[in-house]
Amino acid sequence: MFDVAIVGGGPVGAVLAHVLAREGFAVAVLEREAAPETAPIGSTGFDGRAIALAEGGRRLLAGWGLWEALMDEAEPIERIHVSLRKSWGSARFVAQEEGVAALGQVLDSARMAPVLLAAAKASGVHWQAPARYIAHEVQGDGVVLRFSMPEGEQSLHARLLVAADGAGSIVRSALGLPVEARDYGQTAILARVEVERVEPRTAFERFTDEGPIALLPMGDNRYALVWVSETGGVERRLGLSDAAFLDELGQRFGPRLGRFIRLGPRQAYPLRALTAKTITAPRTVVVGNAAHALHPVAGQGLNLGLRDIRVLLGELSRARQEGRDIGADAVLAAYAAARQADYAVSYPLMDVRARGFTRAVPVPAAFKGLALVALEAIPPLRAGFLRQMMGLKG
């Protein structure tokens, strides 16, 4: 019997598997996708998704022995510039002024995945892929988990089941856990872009009446673009030629970086926020995006999931040290209670940032600009906001 079975081998599932195995837990992972291939060293990384890692998340990965293998592939964010289109309001944040080396890091997801998989396997994790969850049943002191692989249906036993299978979690749905969802009527267009005039190690967030445009530094003159648009206009933008798309992007973003001169493949993701009202069930706990999927306005999804891991690791280790059943209701209730304060701040804050600067909120642009100025100028407001964004509260 395994101690923990994790459904989902994305970043949160892989990191959780690694840290639990390091602490001596017997861990199995069921991942629906085949094992990722290692990105070739020296490749440009112009395609694929980028991950924004906050400073708090970086510290957690360092403590778990994972950061050293990732740091050479990361681009630090030393400055963040936040502005509002067609308004004078803006705010800037500088790592040195906040007493940290960097406010965050940007990682290529295609490069991150193989590193996390290798770490999990090196820690002794039993990794099953491609494996699809079918069902599970609580039996006595454990869970019987049924899943399918290319060679047929299989099963395994574990004391605890963890659902880390993303916002569309099959496990969460099978449990019938209630969720609160918000459809923003927005779609994010993701791509890599190159600019004419770079500001090194600087991330940009420009709020428009449709939604934010974010640019995350990827080294040299490359940025990871997240262009949040009203869903009704996305197909038109996806259908534009590269030159026309870059020209329209430049008009919306402004001249700060000069012209946008190169574009990678475009991908579109409809935006919904989701929060599970209950994150535990008998011998089961839901973590990461399966528990709380946030709007990508500030790249907080993975960072929130890493904090889930930190707390869950603590509760399970404490229970084992005290000779208690790690799948007991009391252990899972303690975990859920410990995560409430973080969830209570993170979800509403992202919701306000996602909607507050769009035309969906009929407030004059001057007042929205004033809010950005206040965010930079009022020390307690600034400090609280930054500590939450960097994942350093608590």
Side-chain angles (χ1 to χ4, degrees), residues 173-227:
S173 297
L175 290 167
L177 298 181
V179 298
E180 177 185 330
R182 179 188 292 277
D183 186 339
Y184 287 100
Q186 298 172 330
T187 294
I189 300 175
L190 275 56
R192 301 292 172 83
V193 296
E194 287 184 0
V195 300
E196 185 178 43
R197 187 172 61 245
V198 69
E199 293 190 24
R201 298 183 172 182
T202 302
F204 296 90
E205 188 171 32
R206 185 157 176 81
F207 290 101
T208 78
D209 54 359
E210 291 185 66
I213 297 173
L215 291 172
L216 303 175
M218 297 292 291
D220 298 324
N221 64 338
R222 294 178 294 121
Y223 286 86
L225 166 70
V226 182
W227 186 354

Side-chain angles (χ1 to χ4, degrees), residues 73-158:
E73 302 290 347
E75 181 70 13
I77 298 174
E78 296 177 355
R79 291 166 294 276
I80 298 175
H81 185 270
V82 185
S83 61
L84 179 61
R85 187 171 185 262
K86 294 185 176 180
S87 174
W88 51 270
S90 65
R92 68 174 188 90
F93 306 100
V94 180
Q96 187 175 11
E97 296 175 1
E98 307 305 327
V100 293
L103 299 169
Q105 308 281 336
V106 184
L107 289 158
D108 188 320
S109 62
R111 292 173 176 270
M112 186 177 187
V115 171
L116 298 182
L117 173 60
K121 288 186 173 181
S123 299
V125 173
H126 182 68
W127 193 280
Q128 296 277 69
R132 292 179 177 269
Y133 166 91
I134 297 174
H136 74 275
E137 181 181 356
V138 176
Q139 292 184 359
D141 62 352
V143 176
V144 177
L145 181 61
R146 293 169 46 222
F147 59 98
S148 65
M149 295 192 72
E151 56 268 31
E153 183 175 323
Q154 299 184 32
S155 65
L156 60 80
H157 292 64

Side-chain angles (χ1 to χ4, degrees), residues 18 23 76 102 106 119 172 200 225 231 235 250 264 282 295 305 307 318 322 363 376 379:
H18 167 73
E23 294 298 314
V106 184
R172 188 194 63 228
L225 166 70
T231 297
E235 286 301 319
H295 192 288
R307 299 198 292 273
R318 186 177 301 113
E322 295 172 355
V363 176
E376 179 183 1

Side-chain angles (χ1 to χ4, degrees), residues 177 276-281 284-287 291-292 335-336 339-340 343:
L177 298 181
K277 295 183 177 180
T278 303
I279 60 172
T280 63
T284 307
V285 61
V286 184
V287 301
H292 295 275
Y335 166 76
R339 294 301 291 131
Q340 277 304 112
Y343 292 157

